[in-house]
């Protein structure tokens, strides 16, 4: 393959990728995590640019807060009022950039042991497989998963630069390793925690494709300080906080760490099959049909999957020098899943976890195809048939991807399909209701809730979703109040319950919910406070009641509920709100005491305090006046 043909085919593929994906940027509603990631952008008015940014990313629940990913959303906050189109377009272009980086990385590692022509063919086919794979659609068009995309961008950049400096020597190698490769790995981690796996990918490359390349003294120093040292540090942090990650974190799950590890072995096989045989599987964000493995023989496929992966690792390591590209593909895929698909207390199944790891499978497929086409054993006729089948296969995955993108462009139809595929899924149910609400299909939504809410006797979120529609149209049927209060007192815990309560209050405060009284809304939270399953969220419920009291101009009620909340655990935002209410009710001594607590907190948390500075200054002036 000539260089001109190589570049021409890549350009054509890039144009085709954009043409396939761009329709998916139209329409759509915030889905699942999009709701809180994007909703937090709306409450930053009146803050300086930096204060707003710090407050925005500080609201993330992760240890590292993912500041670079949140920066990308924050830079687009002004476009949020115009819909989701601009946000999705950025995701699409990041995917295009990542696809080109995949091509570049594949070319670089293939030229180590193969000819330039072979490297071009393998990198082109791998690029097409990875970029057009249907399993990637739910990452690219799910706005929040820009985090996974950006982490992949910096990981791929780190690996590409690493391929250039691995065989270098002298001061330049040290500077590039520490100043560029390490920095990109850090940036990847600051986009999403699994960006840390960049270090494992480097180990996989060193064990396989680059195993026969000598290591300089400078490279060894970097490898042991950054790669080995980084992995030791990470493992130490996890083991030090063992109870948090392996015991406490599983209290909200219906599986333990052992069951999750067994189950993930089966799921990893399905991920590979979804990638290789996309026409045989359904795609999307909701996968409620996944059953957990309760033992090595339950179900029987657990043992088969476990043996498959154990043997894959064994042969990948044993034959890493004889078959370096296949071995690297296996290790890359498994290293890429070692965080989110192992023993951490995450949900069992998400397609977006494959965004970077599936590159390993694409590389194996592309390499094996190239080896078959250049084999002297296989006849020319079979090679022609194989080439034609490969081209047809690429058209097939592009076609399936186009169908998936079209589904994302029609969110109401997509929500109905996800619900019909997962009729007992809380997530599918809530997503359908929220989508009907977003598109103003209030009557259809109310009828849907009226017919189905009893299918979930322990879940109060269904009635709360129904009440959202009642807010908009008083002519709609509404849930029975007494029945709902009784249900709320005995229901299971759902975090979405708190989210929906606050969403109702947002509508109320915005003047869009005149059909629901504040008395009824107070009854909702009071019932949940009586429910022992919601004891861990009492603080949130008291804050909700304080907001409701504030809306009713009941200053004493707001103070009382905020005092209940802060007695359950001090938090800077509660202390500031309480100080403000004390000042307004002329309890200046109490206001100054709370403000002093906030200032003390700021002295220990100067960076996080930046987002509170304007509030503190305003409150100080209020107390002084």
């Amino acid at each position: 393959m000539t260089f001109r043909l190589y570049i021409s085919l890549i350009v054509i593929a890039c144009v085709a990728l954009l043409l396939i994906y761009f329709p998916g940027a139209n329409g759509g509603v915030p889905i699942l995590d999009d709701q809180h990631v994007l909703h937090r952008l709306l409450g930053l008015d009146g803050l300086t640019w930096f204060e707003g940014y710090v407050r925005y990313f500080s609201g993330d629940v992760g240890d590292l807060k993912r500041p670079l990913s949140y920066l990308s959303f924050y830079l687009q906050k002004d476009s949020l009022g115009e819909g989701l189109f601009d946000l999705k377009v950025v995701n699409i272009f990041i995917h295009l950039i990542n696809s080109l980086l995949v091509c570049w990385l594949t070319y670089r590692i293939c030229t180590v042991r193969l000819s330039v022509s072979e490297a071009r063919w393998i990198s082109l086919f791998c690029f097409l497989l990875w970029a057009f794979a249907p399993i990637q659609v739910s990452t690219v068009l799910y706005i929040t998963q820009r985090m996974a995309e950006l982490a992949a961008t910096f990981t791929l950049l780190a690996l590409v630069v690493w391929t250039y400096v691995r065989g270098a020597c002298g001061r330049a190698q040290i500077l590039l390793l520490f100043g560029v490769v390490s920095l990109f790995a850090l940036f990847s981690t600051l986009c999403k925690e699994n960006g840390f796996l960049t270090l494992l990918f480097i180990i996989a490359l060193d064990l396989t494709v680059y195993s026969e390349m000598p290591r300089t003294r400078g490279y060894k120093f970097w490898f042991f300080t950054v790669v080995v040292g980084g992995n030791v540090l990470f493992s130490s942090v996890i083991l030090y906080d063992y109870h948090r990650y392996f015991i406490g974190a599983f209290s909200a799950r219906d599986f333990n760490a052992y069951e999750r590890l067994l189950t993930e072995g089966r799921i990893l096989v399905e991920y590979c099959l979804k990638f290789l045989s996309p026409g045989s599987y359904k795609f999307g964000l909701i996968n409620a049909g996944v059953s957990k493995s309760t033992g090595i023989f339950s179900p029987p496929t657990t043992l088969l999957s476990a043996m498959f992966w154990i043997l894959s690792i064994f042969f990948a390591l044993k034959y890493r020098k004889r078959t370096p590209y296949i071995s690297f593909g296996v290790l890359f895929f498994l290293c890429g899943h070692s965080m989110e698909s192992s023993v951490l207390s995450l949900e069992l199944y998400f397609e977006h976890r494959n965004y970077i790891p599936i590159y390993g499978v694409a590389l194996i497929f592309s390499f094996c195809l190239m080896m078959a086409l250049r084999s002297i054993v296989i006849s020319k006729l079979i090679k022609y048939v194989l080439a034609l089948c490969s081209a047809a296969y690429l058209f097939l995955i592009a076609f399936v991807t186009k169908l998936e993108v079209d589904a994302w462009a029609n969110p109401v139809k997509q929500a109905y399909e996800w619900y019909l595929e997962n009729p007992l899924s809380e997530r599918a149910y809530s997503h359908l209701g929220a989508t009907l609400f977003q598109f103003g299909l209030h009557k259809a939504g109310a009828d849907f809730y009226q017919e189905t809410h009893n299918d979930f006797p322990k879940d109060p979120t269904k009635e709360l979703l129904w009440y959202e529609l009642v807010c908009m149209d008083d002519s709609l049927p509404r849930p029975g109040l007494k029945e709902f209060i009784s249900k709320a007192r005995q229901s299971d815990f759902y975090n979405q319950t708190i989210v929906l309560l606050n969403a109702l209050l947002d509508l109320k405060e915005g003047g869009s919910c005149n059909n629901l009284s504040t008395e009824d809304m107070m009854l909702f939270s009071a019932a949940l406070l009586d429910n022992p399953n919601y004891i861990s969220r009492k603080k949130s419920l008291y804050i909700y009641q304080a907001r409701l009291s504030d809306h009713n101009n009941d200053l004493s009620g707001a103070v009382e509920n905020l005092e209940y909340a802060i007695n359950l655990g001090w938090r800077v935002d509660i202390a500031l709100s309480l100080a403000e209410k004390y000042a307004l009710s002329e309890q200046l001594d109490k206001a100054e005491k709370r403000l002093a607590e906030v200032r003390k907190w700021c002295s220990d948390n100067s960076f996080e305090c930046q987002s509170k500075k304007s509030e503190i200054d305003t409150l100080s002036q209020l107390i002084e006046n």
Side-chain angles (χ1 to χ4, degrees), residues 452-470:
T452 59
H453 74 282
N454 287 326
D455 294 341
F456 303 88
K458 290 289 188 178
D459 182 359
T461 64
K462 312 316 174 196
E463 284 80 5
L464 290 173
L465 287 165
W466 189 354
Y467 274 119
E468 274 192 329
L469 298 175
V470 172

Side-chain angles (χ1 to χ4, degrees), residues 216-228:
T216 65
R217 182 179 300 177
Y219 180 80
K220 289 179 181 179
F221 175 72
W222 173 82
F223 186 87
F224 283 103
T225 54
V226 175
V227 179
V228 176

Side-chain angles (χ1 to χ4, degrees), residues 180-194:
V180 181
V181 177
S182 302
L183 196 63
F184 280 150
L186 175 62
F187 287 167
S188 180
T189 307
L190 293 177
C191 290
K192 194 175 182 182
E193 289 78 1
N194 59 0

